[in-house]
Amino acid sequence: MAHQNDKNTAQQQRTNLAIFASGGGSNAEAIIHYSYRTAAAFRVALVLSNNSRCGAMERAMMFNIPTMHISSATHPNADDYAQAIISALQEHNVEMIALAGFMKKIPQEVVRTFSPKKRSRVFNIHPSLLPKFGGHEMYGINVHRAVVAAQEPESGCTVHEVDGDYDTGTIIAQKSIAVLSSDTPESLAARILLYEHELYPEVLQQKAQEIQNDRL
Ligand code: GAR
């Protein structure tokens, strides 16, 4: 009986998630909204940004979620930068990380710290069907410009594990949509963003549940 109670407590304890974001923060907000669902398996413990004035930080503050600004400006030394991120995450008991429009490379040390049993608990969303249109400089509207210029019949979004390089980790989920002949990079970006807001929280929910099960 005691064992059963322990199990229930562990199941009820939500997985602590940190969101890393640099931009407008619409994905961050979608994740925060999802976290308020009764059945959510995660709570947003921290929003971290390299840009103290970005929309993502403002949105987090509106929800009274702790925020932290860490960048090469606050920590010019690369080791100090990585250590500051790890300390912030440990301080907030973070168990998994969601990059949501975070435009900086994650230090290897952070990925290693959050990859128990060699499974990364750092996730990213990218606005294309990876491995197409990923890599350095491929972010935000640049991705959609390249897709439209290449006259791709379809595009979409991808959630993947982060392995420390740009857009290369194991793919977890994708949503594809048709690219219309009338699409501009902006119209495509807007349409895909709506699917990002659905796909990303669902994947995080599944990953948070896996972490809860690992605790048992
Ligand atoms: C999103 O479309 C996200 O997929 C993309 O940046 C946008 C951020 O929007 N990320 C990348 O391109 C990563 N390579 P948001 O700040 O409104 O969530």
Side-chain angles (χ1 to χ4, degrees):
M1 192 63 181
H3 179 64
Q4 190 60 42
N5 283 344
D6 289 345
K7 255 187 156 182
N8 289 341
T9 313
Q11 266 163 355
Q12 280 155 13
Q13 201 182 328
R14 294 181 180 204
T15 301
N16 279 332
L17 169 75
I19 300 173
F20 286 24
S22 308
S26 70
N27 274 290
E29 184 160 342
I31 295 165
I32 292 168
H33 273 298
Y34 192 103
S35 76
Y36 289 118
R37 291 188 187 186
T38 315
F42 61 87
R43 60 182 281 273
V44 181
L46 178 68
V47 173
L48 188 147
S49 183
N50 59 311
N51 177 357
S52 60
R53 290 163 187 220
C54 70
M57 292 287 258
E58 284 171 12
R59 293 188 204 229
M61 286 175 208
M62 268 168 19
F63 287 95
N64 274 327
I65 290 172
T67 58
M68 192 155 293
H69 169 222
I70 299 179
S71 69
S72 53
T74 61
H75 295 81
N77 174 286
D79 288 341
D80 292 348
Y81 172 71
Q83 203 42 61
I85 292 178
I86 291 171
S87 300
L89 296 171
Q90 286 173 344
E91 194 181 312
H92 291 274
N93 299 314
V94 168
E95 297 163 282
M96 65 181 205
I97 301 168
L99 309 185
F102 189 64
M103 298 311 172
K104 296 286 170 189
K105 209 169 184 175
I106 297 293
Q108 273 296 343
E109 224 177 314
V110 176
V111 177
R112 253 195 319 267
T113 307
F114 286 84
S115 302
K117 299 184 208 155
K118 299 208 167 109
R119 292 298 308 272
S120 180
R121 286 180 180 173
V122 186
F123 308 103
N124 182 39
I125 187 148
H126 184 79
S128 77
L129 297 174
L130 288 174
K132 284 183 159 188
F133 303 99
H136 193 38
E137 301 295 327
M138 275 294 180
Y139 56 83
I141 198 71
N142 292 352
V143 178
H144 306 293
R145 280 197 191 112
V147 169
V148 170
Q151 300 187 327
E152 289 288 307
E154 57 173 15
S155 190
C157 49
T158 303
V159 180
H160 63 94
E161 288 180 6
V162 171
D163 62 5
D165 211 336
Y166 286 106
D167 309 321
T168 51
T170 305
I171 291 172
I172 303 166
Q174 290 187 310
K175 168 74 189 172
S176 65
I177 63 162
V179 179
L180 309 176
S181 56
S182 57
D183 261 327
T184 61
E186 289 74 18
S187 67
L188 186 59
R191 212 159 64 251
I192 289 176
L193 201 55
L194 297 177
Y195 289 102
E196 293 184 42
H197 297 165
E198 280 180 20
L199 185 68
Y200 207 8
E202 280 167 12
V203 171
L204 295 171
Q205 170 76 358
Q206 181 197 320
K207 292 293 165 186
Q209 280 166 343
E210 284 174 20
I211 293 173
Q212 287 182 334
N213 290 338
D214 279 356
R215 290 199 206 113
L216 302 178

